[in-house]
Amino acid sequence: TEEEWLEEKEAWHEEKEECHNDLDQHYDVEWSGFITEHCGHSEAVREMAAGYCEGEYGAFYDLISPDAEIMVNDVDFSKSEWIESFDEGKAPFDDVRHEDMVVTTMSYNNGRMFTNMWYTWKGVVKETGEELSIRGYAAFEWDGERVVGFYNAFDPTEYNGA
């Protein structure tokens, strides 16, 4: 019944609230840590995202390590292959942009740092004038001030069909 469901939901939220209120238990856990959207790493990812849309790739050359592990939808790329693919991938589109971006950087207790970017990729298909809108996710792993790992995931079905 709806009444039972509401009781279960309330009990679940009370249990989770107790967990979140007892933050001391998280400080020594390997994959816990600190998250922020206001830091140099998050800003660097925003700069790269803007550069991608504008065709300005200097930040990628500066910030991506030459031997970074790069994957897009589970396909491996070298740094140069990846950057060189940008113009080809955008060629069928006008007005390429990212919207609804959320960029946060997580510093974990185990010493690893990732900046995550959730976004909506949009572009107008040149042949049809139709706007394409695709949700995506990207993770940038940092070693100091250099990106040493990158993963991007999105559904390429409509993108590849344009």
Side-chain angles (χ1 to χ4, degrees):
T1 69
E2 184 175 343
E3 196 171 293
E4 291 172 328
W5 178 82
L6 288 171
E7 287 175 10
E8 286 179 23
K9 179 180 173 188
E10 186 174 302
W12 184 87
H13 282 285
E14 286 174 4
E15 179 183 309
K16 297 302 174 200
E17 188 173 314
E18 287 174 22
C19 176
H20 291 293
N21 287 336
D22 186 14
L23 294 177
D24 289 340
Q25 69 180 332
H26 300 293
Y27 291 146
D28 294 327
V29 179
E30 181 179 11
W31 285 103
S32 286
F34 179 77
I35 185 170
T36 183
E37 66 178 300
H38 302 291
C39 70
H41 294 94
S42 293
E43 191 55 41
V45 167
R46 287 186 196 93
E47 181 183 340
M48 284 188 275
Y52 165 84
C53 294
E54 296 163 5
E56 300 292 331
Y57 309 132
F60 289 92
Y61 288 107
D62 294 343
L63 296 171
I64 308 292
S65 173
D67 54 350
E69 294 181 20
I70 298 169
M71 292 183 78
V72 178
N73 289 333
D74 297 330
V75 176
D76 291 314
F77 288 85
S78 70
K79 176 182 176 176
S80 60
E81 290 171 332
W82 181 50
I83 296 171
E84 290 167 9
S85 75
F86 295 165
D87 285 332
E88 182 181 339
K90 295 187 307 183
F93 303 97
D94 285 324
D95 193 25
V96 171
R97 64 201 182 279
H98 292 113
E99 293 184 357
D100 307 317
M101 280 187 13
V102 175
V103 180
T104 59
T105 298
M106 300 181 297
S107 299
Y108 291 100
N109 294 336
N110 62 13
R112 294 179 73 183
M113 180 186 295
F114 293 83
T115 298
N116 295 305
M117 181 175 107
W118 293 266
Y119 61 91
T120 302
W121 184 98
K122 291 190 175 185
V124 177
V125 180
K126 290 178 181 178
E127 287 187 10
T128 65
E130 175 188 353
E131 182 171 81
L132 187 61
S133 178
I134 303 169
R135 292 289 299 151
Y137 165 78
F140 300 75
E141 182 173 7
W142 297 90
D143 183 1
E145 300 303 312
R146 299 294 300 265
V147 174
V148 296
F150 173 80
Y151 185 80
N152 188 25
F154 63 93
D155 180 351
T157 307
E158 292 183 50
Y159 177 87
N160 289 339

